[in-house]
């Protein structure tokens, strides 16, 4: 992609979606981990400092307030206008398209602008400099957009009279309008709220110089050299996301948006106790989100999907109530502590084994590329139930690891079904079991399972070749027990990043 000059008045950041491959339910407990994969489908936040015309504003601004306008053009009636007071660190919404509010956006703006104003007050103060007209004032215009995969495109394709295939999805314009309000859109489970919160926090911190642009480079080495910048974004995004939700969750979705693919161990919730009240003082929020706060004890160990393995995702057009499922599982765990402890230990071991096999496959590729490629080529042409019996014939270490991976994901699924049956929750319901078993019978498929908390919402497969991916998609298109549609998203290792706005003219055009 050609280089282009960066416009300092515009800051553009992206944050990836997530897939919790293994670790559903256990990731809530700090004693266990989850393997989360970031996607190349991202949510974008564009922040621009510009002179705003307040002649038609629905309120009068005081001498210490700056105007902030947020627009999400992919949705109907999705704009909100705020005033942020530098004297009190208070944010108020004074107008919107439908007189409604956006809790997540409002919490992020309130939190992040207050932290910027506290850490570096002169930066925001400069926006209050007098203008030629009292009806004009420097302020912020913010644009929130997402790759199409975050929202179901079923209706779009149905209206166009085209099949629900990857080929059809690629013809939809980037960041297409959904034709829905934000509250009515059908999401695909990639973690849009966590990605939005993370990208918006990062864009504001970068825009006002709290975080250096280079610290969020897409270059892995540069990112590793700036751990405190990523930690600060992580801490603030976790806090804002928890406050907007009204509870402290596991945080794996925000962590994936910040760091990309990794094995995640959650932080101790008590780190946010003092700051979780709406009446919390800014000093308490500063302390809670500080990179020097040792209460942030989450662990992030980067992972990559082994070479030539590709993540394929599908949206299943049947909903699940994830909070209700989690509540029931935790109730069963509390009422059956001994049985639950044994099952948790077995699931933890099975989950960890998946990450270990991925690491061993990466090593196998490094140690003997030819053997690795031969194993992938052979397994790509045969269904997974034939792989184990062929290991003795091939004598290939990589082939043996691929067979281990098939067994490993099968073990995870077995234990997930057991947990679901015990708790009375459809973690892998029979309809999904039949679909996943059919996927595993397709030559070249080494993993298939329900992500995260499970249910009817989605499935993922990991395939060894483009041909295997195409074959899986053909299976989905013909599946008549449920409507199964592909997503275009694949795996991506990098997390939140700063992008050059000049290379995204369709985004900067939306700011006009």
């Amino acid at each position: 992609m050609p280089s282009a000059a960066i416009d300092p008045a515009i800051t553009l950041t992206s944050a990836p979606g997530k897939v919790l491959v293994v670790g559903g339910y256990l990731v809530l407990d700090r004693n266990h981990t989850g393997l989360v994969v970031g996607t190349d489908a991202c949510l974008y936040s564009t922040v621009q400092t510009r002179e705003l015309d307040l002649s038609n504003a629905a309120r009068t601004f005081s001498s210490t307030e700056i105007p902030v306008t947020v627009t999400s053009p992919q949705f109907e009636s999705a704009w909100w206008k705020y005033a942020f007071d530098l004297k009190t660190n208070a944010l108020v919404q004074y107008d919107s398209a439908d007189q409604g509010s956006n809790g997540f956006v409002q919490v992020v703006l309130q939190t992040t602008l207050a932290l910027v104003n506290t850490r570096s007050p002169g930066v925001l103060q400069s926006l209050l400099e007098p203008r030629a007209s009292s009806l004009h004032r420097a302020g912020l215009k913010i644009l929130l957009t997402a790759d199409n995969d975050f929202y179901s495109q079923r209706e779009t394709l149905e209206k166009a009279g085209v099949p629900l295939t990857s080929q059809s999805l690629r013809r939809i314009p980037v960041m297409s309008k959904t034709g829905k309000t934000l509250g009515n859109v059908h999401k695909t489970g990639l973690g849009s709220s966590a990605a939005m919160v993370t990208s918006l926090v990062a864009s504001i911190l970068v825009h006002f110089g709290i975080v250096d642009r280079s610290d969020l480079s897409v270059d892995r080495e540069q990112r590793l050299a700036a751990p405190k910048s990523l930690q600060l974004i992580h801490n603030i995004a976790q806090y804002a996301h928890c406050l907007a939700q009204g509870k402290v969750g596991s945080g794996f979705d925000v962590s994936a948006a910040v760091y990309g693919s990794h094995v995640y161990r959650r932080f101790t919730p008590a780190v946010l106790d003092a700051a979780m009240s709406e009446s919390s003082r800014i000093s308490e929020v500063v302390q809670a989100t500080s990179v020097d706060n040792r209460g942030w004890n989450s662990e992030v160990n980067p992972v990559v999907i082994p070479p030539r393995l590709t993540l394929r995702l599908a949206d299943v057009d049947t909903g699940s109530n994830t909070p209700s499922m989690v509540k029931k599982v935790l109730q069963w765990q509390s009422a059956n502590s001994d049985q639950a402890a044994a099952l948790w230990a077995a699931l933890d071991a099975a989950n960890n084994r998946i990450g270990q096999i991925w690491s061993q496959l990466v090593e196998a590729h490094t140690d003997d590329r030819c053997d690795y490629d031969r194993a992938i080529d052979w397994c790509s042409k045969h269904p997974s139930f034939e792989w184990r019996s062929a290991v003795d014939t091939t004598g290939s270490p990589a082939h043996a690891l691929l067979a281990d991976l098939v067994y490993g994901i099968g073990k995870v699924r077995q234990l997930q079904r057991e947990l679901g049956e015990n708790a009375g929750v459809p973690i892998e319901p029979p309809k999904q079991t039949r679909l996943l078993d059919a996927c595993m019978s397709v030559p070249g498929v080494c993993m298939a399972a329900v992500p995260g908390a499970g249910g009817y919402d989605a499935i993922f497969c990991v395939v060894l070749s483009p041909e295997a991916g195409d074959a899986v998609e053909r299976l989905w298109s013909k599946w008549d027990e449920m409507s199964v549609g592909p997503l275009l998203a694949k795996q991506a290792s990098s997390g939140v990043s700063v992008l050059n706005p000049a290379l995204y003219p369709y985004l900067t055009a939306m700011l006009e």
Side-chain angles (χ1 to χ4, degrees):
M1 188 173 283
S3 61
I6 295 177
D7 183 350
I10 299 177
T11 300
L12 171 61
T13 60
S14 67
K18 54 72 185 174
V19 179
L20 186 61
V21 173
V22 293
Y25 301 100
L26 273 70
V27 77
L28 293 164
D29 185 339
R30 183 165 160 73
N31 292 317
H32 306 291
T33 60
L35 195 165
V36 60
V37 172
T39 69
D40 58 2
C42 294
L43 202 139
Y44 304 84
S45 176
T46 310
V47 179
Q48 181 184 39
T49 300
R50 62 189 294 175
E51 191 166 286
L52 299 176
D53 182 358
L54 302 179
S55 58
N56 294 316
R59 77 190 301 271
T60 301
F61 281 73
S62 75
S63 61
T64 58
E65 290 180 323
I66 59 172
V68 181
T69 298
V70 179
T71 306
S72 192
Q74 288 168 276
F75 303 105
E76 299 294 317
S77 303
W79 57 261
W80 306 269
K81 293 185 178 182
Y82 306 92
F84 180 73
D85 194 323
L86 274 64
K87 184 177 180 180
T88 63
N89 278 326
L91 180 88
V92 294
Q93 177 181 311
Y94 68 87
D95 201 4
S96 68
D98 58 2
Q99 302 310 306
S101 61
N102 186 320
F104 282 92
V105 168
Q106 191 157 342
V107 166
V108 173
L109 292 178
Q110 169 69 72
T111 300
T112 314
L113 290 174
L115 288 170
V116 169
N117 194 36
T118 303
R119 292 172 63 108
S120 187
V123 175
L124 290 176
Q125 195 74 30
S126 65
L127 298 180
L128 297 177
E129 293 176 0
R131 301 298 177 197
S133 167
S134 61
L135 297 177
H136 290 79
R137 183 171 298 196
L140 300 178
K141 185 163 186 180
I142 298 174
L143 188 72
L144 300 175
T145 51
D147 285 322
N148 291 337
D149 265 357
F150 281 92
Y151 314 112
S152 175
Q153 304 299 319
R154 291 172 182 273
E155 283 192 29
T156 299
L157 298 182
E158 288 172 3
K159 288 178 181 178
V162 296
L164 185 57
T165 64
S166 294
Q167 187 176 17
S168 299
L169 290 172
R170 291 189 186 96
R171 295 196 183 108
I172 299 176
V174 295
M175 301 180 190
S176 176
K177 291 184 180 296
T178 64
K180 304 277 188 181
T181 63
L182 185 57
N184 291 329
V185 73
H186 176 74
K187 298 181 180 181
T188 58
L190 292 182
S192 57
S193 64
M196 183 281 290
V197 167
T198 301
S199 65
L200 183 52
V201 167
S203 63
I204 294 172
L205 294 180
V206 170
H207 194 71
F208 291 110
I210 304 300
V211 168
D212 193 273
R213 291 174 183 268
S214 63
D215 292 350
L216 301 188
S217 166
V218 293
D219 179 80
R220 183 175 176 81
E221 295 304 317
Q222 279 189 265
R223 296 170 67 86
L224 291 175
K228 286 196 171 182
S229 290
L230 288 174
Q231 183 70 52
L232 180 62
I233 293 169
H234 169 269
N235 295 359
I236 296 173
Q238 290 282 19
Y239 167 68
H241 195 248
C242 291
L243 191 61
Q245 285 187 317
K247 64 177 182 178
V248 180
S250 71
F252 81 87
D253 44 4
V254 169
S255 190
V258 175
Y259 295 106
S261 302
H262 61 278
V263 174
Y264 173 75
R265 188 184 303 277
R266 71 159 305 152
F267 57 89
T268 302
V271 69
L272 292 177
D273 282 353
M276 278 296 288
S277 168
E278 290 187 6
S279 61
S280 297
R281 297 186 300 274
I282 185 61
S283 59
E284 292 171 320
V285 178
V286 170
Q287 170 60 28
T289 58
S290 170
V291 295
D292 297 320
N293 185 342
R294 295 186 179 182
W296 288 104
N297 54 2
S298 56
E299 296 175 15
V300 174
N301 294 303
V303 297
V304 294
I305 292 184
R308 297 185 61 183
L309 275 63
T310 303
L311 181 71
R312 295 296 302 266
L313 303 172
D315 169 36
V316 180
D317 194 25
T318 308
S320 298
N321 188 334
T322 299
S324 173
M325 292 170 63
V326 172
K327 182 179 179 180
K328 286 183 178 180
V329 167
L330 295 181
Q331 286 175 340
W332 175 81
Q333 181 190 23
S334 177
N336 302 271
S337 56
D338 291 343
Q339 184 183 4
L343 183 51
W344 251 239
L347 253 175
D348 190 50
N351 293 341
N352 290 339
R353 182 60 182 143
I354 299 298
Q356 292 166 1
I357 295 171
W358 279 15
S359 297
Q360 290 170 334
L361 281 167
V362 172
E363 293 174 6
H365 177 265
T366 302
D367 294 342
D368 191 339
R369 174 74 177 271
C370 290
D371 174 71
Y372 185 92
D373 285 341
R374 280 194 301 269
I376 293 287
D377 291 341
W378 190 94
C379 291
S380 295
K381 297 178 176 65
H382 297 80
S384 61
F385 58 78
E386 295 180 0
W387 297 0
R388 174 65 65 190
S389 61
V391 170
D392 292 340
T393 303
T394 64
S396 163
H399 190 141
L401 287 170
L402 290 170
D404 288 346
L405 185 57
V406 171
Y407 175 81
I409 195 63
K411 185 66 175 178
V412 169
R413 288 179 55 202
Q414 173 200 328
L415 293 168
Q416 285 179 325
R417 289 193 298 270
E418 182 179 339
L419 173 59
E421 290 164 5
N422 288 339
V425 170
I427 296 176
E428 187 188 292
K431 285 185 178 181
Q432 291 284 52
T433 297
R434 290 188 285 272
L435 173 59
L436 294 170
D437 288 347
C439 291
M440 289 299 296
S441 295
V442 173
V445 176
C446 61
M447 295 180 70
V450 289
Y456 292 94
D457 290 331
I459 66 166
F460 73 86
C461 293
V462 178
V463 301
L464 303 183
S465 68
E467 293 77 15
D470 292 342
V472 163
E473 187 174 326
R474 286 194 297 271
L475 170 71
W476 294 343
S477 69
K478 296 176 182 177
W479 199 256
D480 57 11
E481 193 171 8
M482 295 181 291
S483 177
V484 186
L487 300 183
L488 296 179
K490 306 291 192 300
Q491 72 265 24
S493 295
S494 60
V496 63
S497 302
V498 170
L499 308 175
N500 185 347
L503 301 179
Y504 297 82
Y506 48 87
L507 278 179
T508 53
M510 294 182 196
L511 288 168
E512 299 305 322

